[in-house]
């Protein structure tokens, strides 16, 4: 196979084709990898043949828990395990014929790579976008370890099955929320499909509304405490219908009433639940009265403050004004605890408030002083203005997007390049001391305190403060998995640079990524995080100023299910391993089958018989070429026309990622050719090498091995993969050809392709030499021929 090293060539149009780089697990490439990479490879090879300068890189996102867990179990070094795994992946990728530029291979666990991941973190700190904060994590009390959300399965620790808790620990947090609006607006500069844009926008979850202050009244006191309970609401128009308040169990106000045993008990129970359990629709809304009251800022009424975990501390202000008449959750809660329900929107239809909340925006505001008579849509801005004038509330925007917890208490990740000094506080590691290399440890298990095992290596942990020189300590948390994959597409532009994350000119040439192929599961977080980091680097001025977004187009491929139509899983025993099928049918057949299964973004079940069908097609093509190779002269008109059209159709479909229909065209064309060249009474058409070369070229992106062999057999020079896609010749195809069905006594016996200008006599002449028809004509007596224009020609014979 030929090398595919990409170089910056100013005189050639570039294409940056990126497939998500894999996590090199111990089990090797799975079929989803093969599917994803084949799609990228077909496109990359196709674009090269179109004369584009293609960058198609590959690397390893190799930090992560499975390797760490394996190290804990076996005592082996994650570094060694990773090396073995990447060697295996690389070998399997070679077998599948992927045309990656191996000179640009990167590995997120290489110090020369993560030096720049650490550098980005330092810049985040310097710009005030990373800070230390007490943040809740999932905690396994038995393993004594913080767990990522993905490691919590149904509220239980994935490793030991113990029920997990929420625990608050001090962590590094990245202020992605500051970029929330940019991340929404920037989508306009991309041509992601709507589904992907929507998932980004939904995740950011921008809500417009108001913040409103409710003065807190201490129990037994008439005087207000001077403290305010602030809420975020999207419906300030319903303020007059607020009958109670609810705060999250973690809300600061709750700490003041923890001496109440009922409160303490409730808070403890809530702590054990995962966030998912707390927000579930079906989850019963239970809560406890805090003993505290607020004064309604407009009506002056005293309202109770309840504590319930359906209110999340991480959203808005962690407190709500409950309007049970118009909010479903509030209604449920009020019904459960017998709290009043006061309608303030007059519904347009009959409504029985004790049964359900009226949440529609249709209707008129009532019993609400200054906003009476308005529609809710009119009343919202009116209420905000009215409240703002009186200093009670103000317009506010909330984002469901959270700041990004960037600390992991694990070993196998990038060390966070921070040093803590008693006197100077948190200091960044000076840039010239990067990378902070992950030291080798004896044991990979997190410590009893939940700290990463790095905490136990005192000679690594203890350093001098970079600011004052006093004894200080290194941060022992490591970065999350996302860190290395946030900017890898930049490193591919210039992977060996040791003085910058990538050279500006090289990025100017290659960026943005033209097509980014990956799984649906990364359409949200990975895309958002990496777009954020890119936008941040853009603000720093280290990526090209005229390129505000990293990815031009995002393509998410579908999922391949097991033969039983179920998701593949070890426990179901329906896992398909690509290597096995490469061995059985060859890489070309597997690749072509994967691309032929259906639309690239569809979810489809594995079907070995269909794979066998594709294998037969390739075998047939090979036989066809072998049989006809070496014929000089010119191909017949039909042959030339069919090949010419195939080149165009396959090019159009491949460029549009319609790989399955591209392959269908090739299959049809092979059938057409077979029919055309079949020597019937010496009348079959000639197929010359020139046309066979074109066939080899057109199938080359899909079946890179066999195509090269065929290409050489029919006089192709060099490698087919370095050749240019066959030129389309419009003169060979003035019109679309018509396909006429040929019948004998009403039974289908073949087809013939003709120009729409062909006369009936011409069509008949072509039809009579088709084997399916000729056979009958030679045996029986032709009575008549019935031609239905543009469709069928029926030969009625007496046999
Ligand atoms: C009063 C109200 C009346 C509300 C009404 C809704 C309907 P989104 O659209 O998701 O932004 N809310 C605010 N903070 C919350 C928190 N930390 N946990 C749970 N719920 C919270 O939702 C905003 C609405 O969700 C807010 O508007 C608030 O309830 C609730 F007829 O305030 B609303
Ligand atoms: Zn210091």
């Amino acid at each position: 196979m030929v090398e595919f090293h990409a170089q910056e060539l100013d005189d050639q149009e570039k294409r940056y084709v990126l497939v998500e780089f894999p996590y090199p697990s111990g089990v090797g490439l799975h079929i989803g990898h093969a599917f994803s990479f084949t799609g990228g490879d077909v496109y990359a090879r196709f674009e090269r043949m179109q004369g584009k300068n293609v960058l198609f890189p590959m690397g390893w996102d190799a930090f992560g828990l499975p390797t760490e867990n394996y190290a804990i179990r076996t005592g082996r070094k994650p570094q060694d395990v990773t090396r073995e795994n990447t060697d295996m992946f690389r070998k399997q990728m070679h077998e599948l014929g992927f045309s990656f530029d191996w000179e640009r291979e990167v590995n997120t666990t290489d110090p020369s790579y993560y030096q720049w991941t650490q550098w980005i973190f330092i810049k985040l700190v310097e710009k005030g976008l990373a800070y230390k904060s007490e943040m809740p994590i999932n905690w396994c009390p038995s393993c004594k370890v913080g767990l990522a959300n993905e490691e919590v399965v149904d509220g239980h620790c994935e490793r030991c099955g113990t029920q997990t808790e929420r625990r608050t620990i001090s962590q590094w947090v990245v202020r992605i929320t500051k970029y929330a609006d940019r991340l929404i607006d920037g989508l306009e500069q991309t041509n992601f499909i709507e589904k992907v844009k929507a998932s980004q926008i939904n995740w950011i979850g921008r809500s417009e509304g108001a913040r409103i202050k409710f003065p807190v009244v201490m129990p037994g006191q008439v005087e207000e405490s001077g403290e305010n309970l602030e809420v975020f609401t999207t419906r300030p128009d319903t303020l007059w219908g607020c009958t109670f308040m609810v705060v999250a169990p973690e809300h600061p106000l709750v700490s003041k009433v923890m001496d109440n045993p009922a409160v303490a008990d409730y808070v403890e129970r809530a702590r054990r639940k995962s966030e998912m359990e707390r927000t579930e629709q079906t989850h019963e809304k239970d809560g406890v009265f805090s003993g505290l009251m607020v004064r309604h800022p407009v009506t002056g009424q005293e309202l109770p403050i309840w504590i319930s975990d359906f209110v999340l501390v991480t959203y808005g202000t962690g407190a709500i004004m409950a309007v049970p008449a118009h909010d479903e959750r509030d209604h449920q809660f009020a019904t459960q605890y017998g709290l009043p329900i006061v309608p303030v929107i007059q519904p347009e239809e009959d409504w029985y408030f004790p049964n359900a909340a009226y949440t529609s925006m249709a209707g008129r505001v009532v019993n609400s002083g200054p906003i009476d008579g308005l529609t809710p849509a009119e009343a919202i801005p009116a209420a905000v203005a009215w409240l703002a004038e009186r200093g009670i509330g103000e317009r506010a925007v909330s984002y469901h997007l959270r700041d990004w917890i960037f600390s992991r208490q694990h070993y196998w990740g990038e060390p966070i390049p921070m040093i803590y000094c008693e006197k100077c506080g948190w200091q960044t590691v000076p840039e010239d001391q990067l990378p902070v290399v992950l030291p080798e440890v004896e044991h990979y298990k997190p410590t009893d305190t939940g700290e990463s095992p790095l905490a136990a290596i005192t000679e690594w942990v203890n350093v001098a403060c970079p600011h004052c020189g006093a004894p200080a300590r290194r941060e022992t948390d490591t970065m999350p998995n996302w860190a290395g994959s946030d900017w890898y597409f930049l490193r591919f532009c210039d992977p060996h640079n040791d003085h910058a994350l990538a050279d500006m000119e090289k990025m100017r040439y290659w960026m943005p990524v033209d097509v980014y192929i990956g799984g649906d599961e990364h359409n949200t977080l990975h895309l958002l995080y990496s777009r954020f980091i890119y936008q941040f680097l853009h603000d720093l001025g280290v990526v090209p100023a005229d390129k505000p977004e990293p990815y031009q187009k995002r393509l998410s491929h579908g999922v391949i299910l097991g033969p039983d139509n179920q998701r593949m899983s070890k426990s179901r025993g329906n896992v398909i391993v690509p290597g096995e099928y490469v061995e059985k049918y060859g890489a070309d057949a597997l690749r072509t089958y994967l691309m032929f299964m259906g639309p690239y973004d569809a979810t489809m079940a594995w079907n070995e018989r269909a794979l066998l069908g594709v294998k037969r097609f390739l075998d047939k093509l090979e036989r066809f070429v072998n049989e006809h190779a070496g014929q000089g002269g010119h191909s017949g008109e039909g042959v030339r026309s069919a090949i010419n059209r195939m080149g165009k159709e396959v090019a159009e479909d491949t460029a549009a990622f319609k790989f399955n229909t591209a392959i269908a065209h090739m299959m049809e064309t092979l059938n057409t050719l077979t029919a055309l060249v079949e020597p019937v009474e010496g009348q079959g058409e000639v197929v010359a090498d020139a046309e066979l070369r074109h066939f080899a070229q057109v199938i080359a992106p899909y079946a890179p091995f066999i195509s090269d062999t065929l290409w050489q057999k029919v006089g192709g020079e060099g490698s087919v993969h370095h050749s240019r896609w066959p030129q389309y010749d419009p003169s060979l195809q003035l019109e679309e050809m018509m396909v006429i069905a040929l019948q004998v006594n009403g039974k289908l016996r073949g087809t013939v392709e003709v120009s729409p200008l062909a006369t009936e006599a011409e069509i008949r002449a072509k039809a009579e030499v088709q084997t399916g028809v000729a056979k009958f004509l030679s045996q029986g007596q032709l009575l008549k021929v019935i031609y239905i224009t543009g469709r069928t020609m029926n030969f009625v014979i007496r046999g």
Side-chain angles (χ1 to χ4, degrees):
M1 292 243 107
V2 280
E3 286 289 312
F4 295 99
H5 182 48
Q7 278 164 308
E8 294 74 31
L9 302 167
D10 282 329
D11 55 336
Q12 233 179 314
E13 200 187 332
K14 67 94 184 178
R15 274 286 180 283
Y16 187 171
V17 183
L18 184 66
V19 287
E20 284 172 359
F21 66 161
Y23 174 75
S25 78
V27 295
L29 274 191
H30 60 66
I31 200 76
H33 291 133
F35 188 53
S36 171
F37 303 157
T38 302
D41 190 57
V42 167
Y43 187 72
R45 287 176 181 276
F46 169 74
E47 287 287 58
R48 284 190 201 103
M49 293 179 78
Q50 299 297 317
K52 306 278 171 31
N53 187 25
V54 172
L55 172 56
F56 184 48
M58 182 40 69
W60 318 108
D61 188 15
F63 277 129
L65 281 169
T67 302
E68 174 162 327
N69 287 339
Y70 183 77
I72 292 173
R73 274 203 315 278
T74 61
R76 300 196 49 210
K77 283 191 207 158
Q79 288 83 348
D80 295 344
V81 175
T82 297
R83 198 169 315 109
E84 279 170 24
N85 291 350
T86 54
D87 285 348
M88 168 173 63
F89 267 64
R90 203 181 301 103
K91 183 169 157 281
Q92 292 174 334
M93 288 174 175
H94 276 299
E95 284 167 3
L96 275 158
F98 299 139
S99 59
F100 297 127
D101 177 355
W102 288 107
E103 286 183 39
R104 290 176 188 259
E105 178 178 348
V106 302
N107 185 327
T108 56
T109 68
D110 276 347
S112 65
Y113 180 93
Y114 67 65
Q115 162 172 6
W116 299 103
T117 312
Q118 291 173 333
W119 182 86
I120 294 171
F121 185 82
I122 285 174
K123 295 294 157 194
L124 287 167
V125 174
E126 285 173 2
K127 298 290 171 193
L129 289 168
Y131 58 98
K132 246 227 154 159
S133 167
E134 296 283 320
M135 291 297 263
I137 55 159
N138 305 299
W139 175 260
C140 171
S142 140
C143 298
K144 296 197 174 62
V145 61
L147 302 173
N149 281 333
E150 310 82 70
E151 297 172 279
V152 181
V153 180
D154 292 333
H156 294 266
C157 171
E158 188 192 53
R159 305 178 184 196
C160 75
T162 309
Q163 192 168 33
T164 59
E165 296 176 356
R166 304 284 287 170
R167 204 183 232 218
T168 303
I169 62 170
S170 175
Q171 312 218 54
W172 288 100
V173 183
V174 171
R175 220 183 286 279
I176 187 173
T177 49
K178 224 182 143 197
Y179 279 68
D181 283 333
R182 276 270 288 286
L183 289 166
I184 295 174
D185 299 340
L187 291 171
E188 277 169 32
Q189 325 251 355
T190 70
N191 52 9
F192 295 176
I193 53 170
E194 282 313 310
K195 178 180 80 168
V196 175
K197 285 187 182 173
S199 78
Q200 300 268 293
I201 290 170
N202 289 341
W203 189 264
I204 296 167
R206 187 181 195 276
S207 274
E208 286 196 33
R211 282 181 185 244
I212 303 177
K213 289 187 198 126
F214 289 70
V216 177
V217 190
M218 284 302 177
Q221 280 175 260
V222 208
E223 289 295 295
E224 283 154 19
S225 63
E227 212 174 321
N228 285 309
L229 179 59
E230 205 177 357
V231 302
F232 171 73
T233 176
T234 46
R235 296 291 307 272
D237 57 316
T238 63
L239 172 62
W240 282 260
C242 167
T243 57
F244 59 100
M245 315 297 288
V246 187
V247 299
E250 301 85 354
H251 192 279
L253 208 58
V254 175
S255 62
K256 301 204 159 107
V257 291
M258 282 295 274
D259 48 355
N260 174 340
V263 170
D265 178 59
Y266 181 78
V267 170
E268 172 56 25
R269 272 190 290 135
R271 207 165 61 84
R272 292 184 184 279
K273 289 190 216 163
S274 71
E275 186 153 309
M276 210 180 68
E277 285 176 287
R278 289 172 53 163
T279 48
E280 257 169 348
Q281 290 298 325
T282 53
H283 163 58
E284 192 164 298
K285 310 265 172 293
D286 61 351
V288 62
F289 175 49
S290 69
L292 302 172
M293 308 289 282
V294 295
R295 189 175 309 290
H296 190 292
V298 181
T299 68
Q301 253 186 323
E302 276 194 18
L303 306 175
I305 303 176
W306 283 71
I307 303 166
S308 174
D309 63 13
F310 79 83
V311 175
L312 303 176
V313 71
T314 45
Y315 185 61
T317 63
I320 66 159
M321 64 176 208
V323 184
H326 303 293
D327 181 272
E328 203 43 64
R329 291 167 313 177
D330 299 351
H331 191 280
Q332 237 179 302
F333 198 86
T335 308
Q336 191 168 337
Y337 293 104
L339 296 160
I341 298 173
V342 177
V344 289
I345 310 291
Q346 180 69 53
E348 281 192 336
E349 43 192 305
D350 276 343
W351 200 265
Y352 185 60
F353 279 94
N355 273 358
Y358 180 76
T359 57
S360 157
M361 292 288 277
R364 297 274 165 187
V365 177
V366 292
N367 301 325
S368 300
I371 54 170
D372 271 351
L374 301 178
T375 64
E378 295 161 347
I380 290 172
V384 174
W386 192 87
L387 294 169
E389 259 168 48
R390 286 159 183 76
I392 300 170
E394 60 187 3
R395 188 182 165 272
V397 176
S398 270
Y399 300 90
H400 283 277
L401 179 68
R402 313 283 170 75
D403 276 344
W404 172 19
I405 302 180
F406 212 74
S407 284
R408 298 289 182 273
Q409 294 71 44
H410 289 294
Y411 170 74
W412 192 228
E414 300 87 349
I416 292 179
M418 298 297 294
I419 293 170
Y420 184 74
C421 166
E422 291 284 340
K423 254 201 338 237
C424 314
W426 282 106
Q427 301 291 315
T428 53
V429 170
E431 278 179 39
D432 60 4
Q433 289 172 28
L434 295 180
V436 176
V437 177
L438 188 61
E440 295 196 357
V441 296
E442 288 289 315
H443 305 287
Y444 301 100
K445 218 175 152 75
T447 63
D448 280 353
T449 58
E451 285 176 301
S452 127
L454 293 176
I457 318 175
T458 46
E459 62 276 26
W460 182 80
V461 170
N462 296 326
V463 286
C465 166
H467 189 68
C468 73
R473 286 173 56 84
R474 283 189 194 281
E475 174 57 76
T476 60
D477 282 356
T478 54
M479 297 188 194
N481 263 43
W482 311 101
S485 58
D486 278 341
W487 68 282
Y488 74 117
F489 48 90
L490 294 174
R491 191 67 177 170
F492 281 140
C493 296
D494 188 16
H496 310 295
N497 196 323
D498 56 11
H499 55 273
L501 51 82
D503 174 75
M504 185 64 94
E505 284 314 308
K506 291 184 176 165
M507 287 188 280
R508 193 163 285 142
Y509 182 75
W510 289 116
M511 290 297 288
V513 171
D514 294 285
V515 186
Y516 190 17
I517 297 177
D520 260 347
E521 70 278 17
H522 291 140
N523 282 344
T524 312
L525 290 184
H526 164 62
L527 225 54
L528 196 69
Y529 289 156
S530 56
R531 290 182 54 231
F532 160 65
I533 291 295
Y534 184 86
Q535 291 185 347
F536 168 68
L537 294 173
H538 191 262
D539 286 353
L540 275 189
V542 298
V543 298
D546 58 338
K547 299 172 194 288
E549 286 280 332
Y551 316 118
Q552 193 46 236
K553 188 188 184 96
R554 165 75 181 178
L555 214 70
S556 58
H557 58 73
V559 176
I560 298 181
L561 304 174
D564 54 356
N565 237 317
Q566 304 285 318
R567 258 184 192 273
M568 289 186 196
S569 77
K570 243 199 259 169
S571 59
R572 285 206 187 89
N574 61 352
V575 176
I576 298 296
V577 184
E580 200 183 312
Y581 294 89
V582 171
E583 218 163 89
K584 217 162 150 186
Y585 302 105
D588 285 333
L590 175 61
R591 290 169 57 112
T592 309
Y593 165 63
L594 286 172
M595 296 297 99
F596 186 59
M597 286 178 85
Y600 194 48
D601 60 356
T603 295
M604 301 161 294
W606 178 262
N607 179 342
E608 190 171 348
R609 281 182 48 197
L611 167 54
L612 192 62
V614 170
K615 168 72 177 152
R616 290 212 184 99
F617 156 65
L618 295 177
D619 289 347
K620 187 173 154 195
L621 174 65
E622 205 173 357
R623 276 200 309 274
F624 185 84
V625 173
N626 284 335
E627 246 168 63
H628 297 280
Q631 296 195 41
H634 285 293
S635 294
E637 192 187 321
V639 168
R640 273 190 294 150
S641 150
I643 294 269
N644 186 51
R645 189 174 57 246
M646 172 180 72
K648 181 163 180 274
E649 287 168 338
V650 172
E652 283 168 359
D653 287 352
T654 306
F657 306 96
K658 293 183 190 160
F659 305 128
N660 59 327
T661 54
I663 295 166
H665 288 311
M666 294 188 254
M667 292 174 163
E668 283 160 22
T669 305
L670 182 58
N671 285 340
T672 305
L673 293 183
T674 316
L676 287 172
V677 303
E678 253 175 26
V680 178
E681 296 166 9
Q683 294 204 44
E685 284 194 24
V686 170
V687 51
D689 281 355
E691 273 62 43
L692 294 177
R693 281 200 294 276
H694 286 177
F695 209 133
Q697 289 178 301
V698 168
I699 202 169
Y702 294 85
F705 296 96
I706 182 190
S707 57
D708 222 9
T709 314
L710 297 180
W711 167 255
Q712 270 143 35
K713 174 150 273 159
V714 291
E717 270 180 45
S719 161
V720 70
H721 303 292
H722 285 166
S723 71
R724 285 293 175 87
W725 197 261
Q727 276 279 339
Y728 177 68
D729 181 354
S731 73
L732 288 177
Q733 234 88 46
L734 285 173
E735 294 85 7
E736 279 286 292
M737 298 290 269
M738 300 190 302
V739 176
I740 308 294
L742 303 180
Q743 302 176 334
V744 175
N745 292 339
K747 259 202 167 146
L748 185 68
R749 295 295 180 189
T751 59
V752 68
E753 272 196 49
V754 296
S755 149
L757 301 178
T759 62
E760 185 178 339
E762 284 168 346
I763 298 170
R764 182 165 162 187
K766 277 196 162 185
E768 285 178 344
V769 298
Q770 296 292 312
T771 19
V773 177
K775 194 165 66 189
F776 292 97
L777 290 181
S778 63
Q779 289 163 4
Q781 184 197 350
L782 180 64
L783 298 180
K784 61 178 169 177
V785 178
I786 306 162
Y787 176 56
I788 300 169
T789 312
R791 294 177 160 215
T792 56
M793 184 168 273
N794 187 12
F795 294 84
V796 184
I797 58 171
R798 189 160 54 208

